[in-house]
Amino acid sequence: MTLRVAEHSKDRDRQLAQIRQSLGTRSVVLIGLMGAGKTAVGRRLANWLDLPFTDADSEIEQAAGQSIKEIFAEHGERYFRDGERKVIARLLESGPQVLATGGGAYMNPQTRAAIEAGGISIWLKAELRVLMKRVGRRDNRPLLAVDDPETVMKELMAERNPVYTKADITVESREVPHEVIVGNVVDALAAKLGCDAMPAPRARRKKVH
């Protein structure tokens, strides 16, 4: 490891420690549309911050004893949203963590209030092209189980994006390695919490021959 890389690693470790301390009992809550990368980024972010990772959808399935697809089919969306609200409220009481929420969770005013009181919200914002590419890899999205999922996604973006703007932080989720997005999230968190920023990379000196 070169001296410059070692210094960079120490700076990042110091920054992460400051973020953890500044969070106190609050959670980092990831919001955004399906396909935004909340779970993939969230797992890595939790690892960086040395915090537990919780996926709200998984917790809902565990509490219900059914998959989300089954809950939608058997009980409908309203029933699911009510359970989602209760589960997220419970999770936010369990101390600092990185919490990934479902795409519609933040639309509930009570859930938004609970997140504001017990966490810092981060909107992973992605373009339609990116979202559709990602959601096409899985078939467990009840809202997209239609003949024209792209039209549904456009409608969801029009409805939800204005609400997502209420989040404390917005980070662009794009087609780059997940670690890059995690680094962006960490830097945004540091700025929001008043922690030390990572120093800008020093320009490499040209050799004089």
Side-chain angles (χ1 to χ4, degrees):
M1 182 182 291
T2 65
L3 179 60
R4 182 174 297 175
V5 171
E7 288 175 351
H8 184 277
S9 180
K10 286 182 180 179
D11 288 336
R12 179 63 90 185
D13 288 344
R14 189 181 306 114
Q15 183 188 49
L16 293 169
Q18 289 178 345
I19 290 172
R20 285 194 301 272
Q21 183 175 4
S22 298
L23 282 173
T25 60
R26 291 177 293 177
S27 295
V28 177
V29 185
L30 300 179
I31 70 168
L33 285 163
M34 59 191 91
K38 301 184 294 292
T39 299
V41 171
R43 289 187 188 281
R44 290 165 175 81
L45 178 62
N47 187 47
W48 281 36
L49 291 172
D50 196 23
L51 290 173
F53 171 75
T54 309
D55 184 281
D57 283 351
S58 296
E59 293 290 325
I60 293 165
E61 290 179 333
Q62 186 174 342
Q66 292 180 301
S67 69
I68 290 175
K69 192 173 182 178
E70 289 170 339
I71 297 171
F72 265 76
E74 188 172 331
H75 303 287
E77 184 176 0
R78 180 177 294 184
Y79 178 91
F80 169 78
R81 295 301 176 195
D82 188 52
E84 179 180 56
R85 174 184 59 79
K86 293 175 182 177
V87 167
I88 290 176
R90 170 176 59 81
L91 292 172
L92 287 168
E93 294 175 354
S94 62
Q97 67 199 297
V98 175
L99 174 60
T101 63
Y106 198 70
M107 301 300 292
N108 184 291
Q110 291 174 283
T111 298
R112 285 202 303 276
I115 292 173
E116 184 178 351
I120 293 184
S121 52
I122 300 177
W123 174 24
L124 292 183
K125 181 181 180 182
E127 296 178 351
L128 176 64
R129 174 186 57 81
V130 174
L131 294 173
M132 293 310 299
K133 180 179 178 181
R134 291 175 178 171
V135 298
R137 299 169 186 159
R138 302 173 68 183
D139 63 353
N140 63 338
R141 319 279 188 175
L143 293 179
L144 296 183
V146 295
D147 292 334
D148 188 3
E150 184 167 326
T151 294
V152 173
M153 183 67 85
K154 288 178 181 178
E155 292 171 352
L156 289 173
M157 292 178 78
E159 175 191 5
R160 295 178 178 179
N161 282 8
V163 179
Y164 291 155
T165 61
K166 300 175 186 289
D168 296 310
I169 295 168
T170 298
V171 173
E172 292 286 339
S173 180
R174 52 209 191 277
E175 290 293 84
V176 297
H178 291 306
E179 284 73 15
V180 174
I181 306 299
V182 175
N184 294 159
V185 170
V186 167
D187 290 337
L189 269 172
K192 180 71 177 179
L193 295 170
C195 303
D196 289 344
M198 287 288 290
R202 289 176 291 184
R204 198 177 281 181
R205 291 182 180 179
K206 293 183 178 179
K207 291 182 178 180
V208 178
H209 297 284

